[in-house]
């Protein structure tokens, strides 16, 4: 199948892009970034945008930079940019570990970090990273700029707080503290498929016990989020099997699982238990 | 028993020469249907409803849209069987009053470009009054089920029954009976290249050329000419390079009929390229079966009697030319497999439902029956407390020719030897020790065996036994050496990726003493190649190979005669090799190319003793021959997630004489990859209302390179007189044996939990569900 007719617009600057969005957004206009989600759904005619605003030529959006304790990722930075660490220590390692679970190599050379965030697939790895770390999304429109916190940004399956005239110009990821540990585990049927369930955990160890735990789950619910019940089961506890088991159990109980042909609710709960525990096991230094 | 080779004894047969097909393909010089340009493009409008009455088709203004009302005089596709209570059902090339599956073609939009056709198709409004659909074969059999075709009120359109006279008595005296149900979910062969067709009209002759991605160009011509009521010779069918078929491209699709009809009506060129979504919805499905199986064993674990109730969901229509009997009847005839059971009782039914029609897919039923039978063997081994290999040792046939309970003659093969060969390479005791150790650590490893026969290269008598109106089987090959010494072999088989141009050239080269690259194999063009049946059922190397050998032997005889004249020596003293005719024991020789010139330009020198020209025809129609193999899979099952990883896959294979080992290995590898997909991943899912939920490759999951392990292959060559080249077919065995080996391995891994998984694919969700209910029961 091929897309329904559309007009492509090519801005050279962020200002140009937001002007176009202001004009075409209300007329069924959309941003085209890497096209790795949008183009397939257009090919099935499940999306029929009348206008595409192609931001691939906007040079100022292609940057990854570190500002204090945040990593700023511009709107056209590709997944493949994270194959090698873009930051020191655990932060760089975490991103380069996670990126390898996104689709396949050719898709990673085109698809963008911010495109994943804007697309908001519940099983997107980057959405999980953004939720777990507490990212901030920078949205720009002709009306101005606003910064949206991850927990407010993801609203449901492929739905976000972005308005139709807003461009997501960058995502700001808090950098993991230097002594942080992380663990990631994803379950899918084939290498490169979207996750049926995945977990990302981070924490520090102080005085032999877990401090500042974060447990994020993706692919399991309508949107990725942190699971406070699982974090509570970790906080102040020693790094041991019993602790991990308890956190995994708490996560499995806490979720409101989505159902699809790959997994019913009961199976997803089981997977959440498994991926949470395994992410924790992998986090152990 | 060896094939005669001459001269130095160096033969092309048996060598892994590089494929003659590949330089063009890897350099992007291949010719595929979708490369052709056309004046008109077609987009088909398909039914969004599984069952319903067409109320209205709303056509946008000024659009060229063809519906059933336009096709007066076009007959429906109505394949015929003369046995097995077959109920002929008609498939209109465009749905007329009712629709019977999601994806059925309702209208054809014709426009100047693909894009325009698709935009118009988007605006065609089909209003359908929905009726209750039935997608599951068992439900279709139940009383009061919706009726798919009024001709078949019970939804059964083909039914086979076999019961050997000794069955009841043998079963009654059994020591152990084991009964269970084996389920195989619906699958799609997913060739890389989906369907595509292109028609061109010749104003001078009124002929139409249909270029399409088919496995059987001649039969496509026959079928379309019949449906459209035109002489066959007014239609030329070309199968150019074909990007895989696996059986899916051997059935007639209504789309091609419409393309030919349109070319004649528009007196112009028309094209259609299927997209993956159409292919997954409407490009033929397979393997949707439930088998209730019972094995009766004597006290020594010998299978004495076998009974089966086979239900094959054949979808909404019956495919041409095989008919939908292909799955249920193949299953019935071959279920006993390579085991000696002589008492047999089987009922096998083809049931129509509101789903995509079934078509043959690599292995046709045998991946399913092998899986069922191999599960039975493992269950019995467990019951008797013996190793799976031991029960196979006791039951495999070992005397030849062997006459099966269903009347098949098994030619010489190596069922036991390949089992022992596999066992030797796998080191079972070492595995069992490792398995025990792993279990203690909470890791579940399992080993699964599958021993099976692969019936290949069967000729017309085998198909006649099925009562087919169109009875395929034989092949003709015409070989011409041109005046410059180049050889052309025109074949009726129609390879679609198998490397047949190379292997046939190897066979011919050995006979006539030229190199394979001087032999051009011409196929896939009804104007150029002799009538033939195409490529399916692992037949081409055996049958077209045999016909090639016969034609090449005739050509050799003629070349020797010419050489004998020109070299003034007895033909018996002349060998043809390295492009030369040589008189043994002398230094007298003559280039074969020189003889070729003489055969055309100097015929007066032969005193009327040799006919002019260098063309010979070989025909071959064998009874068929059985390849065999033992597959072994070692898997690890993640009991928490249900995920299965295949650690090792080993094969001991016997396909008789191997013409080109590299190509044979490729066939086995590809089949196993598909078999692994069938065992673990691939499943077409319909909703209860008949919506297809797996119409993209995000939902229908063929294996990727990451899911297919390295495959360790061992060969054995049994030369049987059933094939004149001594080669047996090897196209389907990989797909036939792999699912059983993988599922047996999963069951072996999960043995401590006392559960049985008798379903393909064994998805992680199902494995988890089975484990969960076992745990709940225990608790
Ligand atoms: C076979 C396959 C497998 C895949 N597997 C995975 C996987 O495992 N995990 C995963 O996370 N993803 C996967 N993807 C999706 C892939 O990662 C996409 O690249 C990503 O989801 C979207 O990024 P994009 O740049 O391609 O965005 P596009 O496809 O260009 O756009 C996606 C949507 O976001 C909007 N958008 C994009 N950028 C902006 C912006 N800056 N501001 C506002 N709106 C914007 C677009 O308008 C559109 O609606 C897969 C894709 C394919 C084809």
């Amino acid at each position: 199948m091929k897309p329904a007719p559309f007009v492509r617009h090519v801005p050279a600057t962020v200002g140009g892009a937001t002007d176009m969005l202001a004009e075409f957004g209300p007329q069924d206009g959309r941003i085209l970034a890497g096209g790795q989600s949008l183009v397939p759904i257009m090919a099935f005619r499940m999306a029929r945008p009348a206008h595409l605003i192609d931001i691939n030529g906007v040079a100022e959006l292609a940057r990854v930079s570190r500002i204090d304790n945040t990593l700023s990722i511009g709107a056209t930075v590709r997944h493949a940019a994270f194959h090698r660490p873009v930051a020191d220590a655990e932060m760089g390692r975490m991103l380069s570990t996670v990126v390898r679970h996104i689709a396949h190599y050719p898709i990673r050379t085109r698809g963008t970090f911010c495109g994943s965030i804007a697309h908001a697939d519940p099983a997107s790895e980057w959405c999980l990273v953004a939720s777990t770390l507490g990212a901030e999304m920078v949205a720009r429109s002709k009306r101005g700029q606003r910064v949206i916190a991850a927990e407010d940004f993801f609203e449901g399956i492929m739905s976000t707080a972005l308005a139709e005239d807003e461009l997501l110009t960058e995502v700001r990821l808090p950098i993991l503290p230097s002594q942080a540990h992380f663990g990631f585990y994803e379950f899918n049927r084939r290498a490169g498929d979207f996750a049926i369930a995945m977990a990302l955990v981070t924490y520090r160890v102080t005085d032999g016990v877990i401090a500042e735990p974060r447990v994020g789950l993706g692919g399991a619910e309508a949107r990725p989020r942190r699971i406070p019940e699982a974090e509570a089961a970790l906080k102040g506890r020693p790094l041991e099997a019993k602790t991990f088991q308890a956190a995994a159990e708490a996560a499995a109980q806490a979720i409101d699982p989505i159902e699809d042909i790959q997994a019913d609710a009961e199976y997803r709960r089981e997977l959440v238990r498994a991926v949470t525990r395994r992410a924790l096991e992998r986090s152990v230094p | 028993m060896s094939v005669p080779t001459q001269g130095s004894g160096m033969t092309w047969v048996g060598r892994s020469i590089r494929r003659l097909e590949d330089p063009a393909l890897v350099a992007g010089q291949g010719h595929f249907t979708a490369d052709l340009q056309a004046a008109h493009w077609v987009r088909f409008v398909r039914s969004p409803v599984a069952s319903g009455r067409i109320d209205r088709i709303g056509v946008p203004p000024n659009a060229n849209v063809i519906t059933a009302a336009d096709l007066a005089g076009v007959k429906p596709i109505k394949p015929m069987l003369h046995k097995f209570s077959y109920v002929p059902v008609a498939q209109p090339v465009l749905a007329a009053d009712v629709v019977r599956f999601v994806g059925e073609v309702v209208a054809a939009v014709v426009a100047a470009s693909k894009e325009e056709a698709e935009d118009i198709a988007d605006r065609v409004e089909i209003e359908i009054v929905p009726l209750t659909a039935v997608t599951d074969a068992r439900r279709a059999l139940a009383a009061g089920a919706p009726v798919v075709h009024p001709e078949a009120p019970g939804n059964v359109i083909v039914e086979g029954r076999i019961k050997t006279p000794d069955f009841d008595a043998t079963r009654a005296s059994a020591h152990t009976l084991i009964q269970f149900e084996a389920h195989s979910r619906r699958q799609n062969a997913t060739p890389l290249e989906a369907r595509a067709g292109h028609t061109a009209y010749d104003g001078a002759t009124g002929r139409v050329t249909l270029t399409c991605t088919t496995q059987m160009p001649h039969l496509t011509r026959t079928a379309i000419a019949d449906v459209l009521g035109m002489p066959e010779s007014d239609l030329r069918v070309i199968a150019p390079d074909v990007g895989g078929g696996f059986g899916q491209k051997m059935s007639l699709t209504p789309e091609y009929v419409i393309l030919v009809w349109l070319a004649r009506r528009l007196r112009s060129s028309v094209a259609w390229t299927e997209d993956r979504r159409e292919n997954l919805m409407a490009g033929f499905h397979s393997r949707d079966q439930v088998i209730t199986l019972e094995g009766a064993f004597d006290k020594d674990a010998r299978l004495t009697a076998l009974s089966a109730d086979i239900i094959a969901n054949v979808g909404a229509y019956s495919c041409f030319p095989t008919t939908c009997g292909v799955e249920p009847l193949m299953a019935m005839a071959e279920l006993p497999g390579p085991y000696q059971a002589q008492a047999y009782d089987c009922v096998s039914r083809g049931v129509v439902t509101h789903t995509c029609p079934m078509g043959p897919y690599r292995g046709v039923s045998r991946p399913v029956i092998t899986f069922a039978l191999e599960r039975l063997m493992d269950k019995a081994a467990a019951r008797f407390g013996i190793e799976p290999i031991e029960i196979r040792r006791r039951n495999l046939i070992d005397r030849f020719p062997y006459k099966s309970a269903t009347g098949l003659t098994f030619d010489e093969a190596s069922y036991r030897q390949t089992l022992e060969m596999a066992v030797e390479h796998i080191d079972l005791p070492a595995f069992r020790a490792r398995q025990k150790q792993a279990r203690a650590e909470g890791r579940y490893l399992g080993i699964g065996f599958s021993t099976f026969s692969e019936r290949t290269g069967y000729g017309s008598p085998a198909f006649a036994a099925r009562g087919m109106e169109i009875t395929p089987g034989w092949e003709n090959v015409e070989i011409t050496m041109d005046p410059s010494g180049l050889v052309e072999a025109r074949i009726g088989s129609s390879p679609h990726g198998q490397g047949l141009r190379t292997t046939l050239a190897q066979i011919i080269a050995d006979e006539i003493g030229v190199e394979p690259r001087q032999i051009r194999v011409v196929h896939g063009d009804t104007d150029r190649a002799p009538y033939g049946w195409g490529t399916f059922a692992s037949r081409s190397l055996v049958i077209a190979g045999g016909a090639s050998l016969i034609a090449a032997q005739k050509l050799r005889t003629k070349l020797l005669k010419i050489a004998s004249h020109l070299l003034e020596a007895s033909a018996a003293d002349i060998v043809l090799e390295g492009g030369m005719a040589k008189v043994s024991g002398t230094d007298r020789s003559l280039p074969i190319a020189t003889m070729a010139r003489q055969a055309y330009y100097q015929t007066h020198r032969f005193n009327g003793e040799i006919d002019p020209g260098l063309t010979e025809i070989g025909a071959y129609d064998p009874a068929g021959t059985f390849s065999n193999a033992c597959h072994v899979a070692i898997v690890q099952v993640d009991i928490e997630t249900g995920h299965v990883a295949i650690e090792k896959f080993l094969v001991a294979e016997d396909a008789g004489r191997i013409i080109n080992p590299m190509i044979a290995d490729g066939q086995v590898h590809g089949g196993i990859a598909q078999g692994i997909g069938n065992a673990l991943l691939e499943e077409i899912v319909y909703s209860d209302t008949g919506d297809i939920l797996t119409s993209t490759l995000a939902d229908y999951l063929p294996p990727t390179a990451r899911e297919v392990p390295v495959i360790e292959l061992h060969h054995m060559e049994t030369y049987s007189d059933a094939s004149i080249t001594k080669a047996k077919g090897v196209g389907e065995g990989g797909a036939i044996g792999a699912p059983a080996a993988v599922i047996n391995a999963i069951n072996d891994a999960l043995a401590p939990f006392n559960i049985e998984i008798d379903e393909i694919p064994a998805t992680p969700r199902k494995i988890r569900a089975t484990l969960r209910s076992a745990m709940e029961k225990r608790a």
Side-chain angles (χ1 to χ4, degrees), chain B residues 395-408:
Chain B
N395 285 285
L396 285 168
I397 54 181
D398 60 353
R399 270 163 296 121
F400 305 100
Y402 170 82
K403 192 102 176 161
S404 81
T406 63
L408 300 177

Side-chain angles (χ1 to χ4, degrees), chain A residues 150-183:
Chain A
E151 65 252 40
D152 302 323
F153 186 84
F154 299 114
E155 294 183 337
I157 297 178
M158 293 178 195
S159 113
T160 70
L162 276 184
E164 64 186 7
D165 66 341
E166 281 181 317
L167 172 70
L168 177 63
T169 52
E170 70 184 279
V171 171
R172 293 176 188 158
L173 282 183
I175 302 238
L176 290 173
S178 55
Q179 317 83 1
H181 301 295
F182 81 91

Side-chain angles (χ1 to χ4, degrees), chain A residues 21 29-41 52-53 55-56 61 74-79 101-104 107-108 110-121 123-127 162-163 166-170 186 188 192-195 198, chain B residues 697-698:
Chain A
L21 261 183
R30 285 224 217 169
I31 297 290
L32 174 70
Q36 297 305 295
S37 292
L38 183 54
V39 173
I41 57 178
L52 286 186
I53 298 154
I55 57 170
N56 286 284
L61 293 175
T76 61
V77 173
R78 314 286 161 185
H79 303 317
H101 293 266
I102 302 175
H104 308 276
I107 293 165
R108 295 201 291 268
R110 296 209 56 84
T112 63
F113 186 102
C114 289
S116 290
I117 301 291
H119 188 60
D121 190 297
S124 151
E125 284 80 1
W126 291 144
C127 293
L162 276 184
E166 281 181 317
L167 172 70
L168 177 63
T169 52
E170 70 184 279
E186 171 167 334
N188 51 19
D193 281 349
F194 275 106
M198 62 183 159
Chain B
L697 291 177

Side-chain angles (χ1 to χ4, degrees), chain B residues 48 51 97 121 183 189 191 235 314 340 408 422 561 592 692 738 745:
Chain B
S51 172
D97 307 312
H183 290 257
L235 182 59
V314 300
Q340 302 191 29
L408 300 177
K561 240 185 188 174
I592 291 173
I692 181 161

Side-chain angles (χ1 to χ4, degrees), chain B residues 106-129:
Chain B
V106 175
V109 174
V110 187
S113 71
K114 257 186 226 173
E115 292 74 15
E116 207 183 311
E118 190 154 352
D119 290 345
I120 297 168
D122 226 18
R123 304 204 310 273
V124 173
E125 294 165 6
I126 344 178
E127 284 167 25
I128 297 176
V129 183

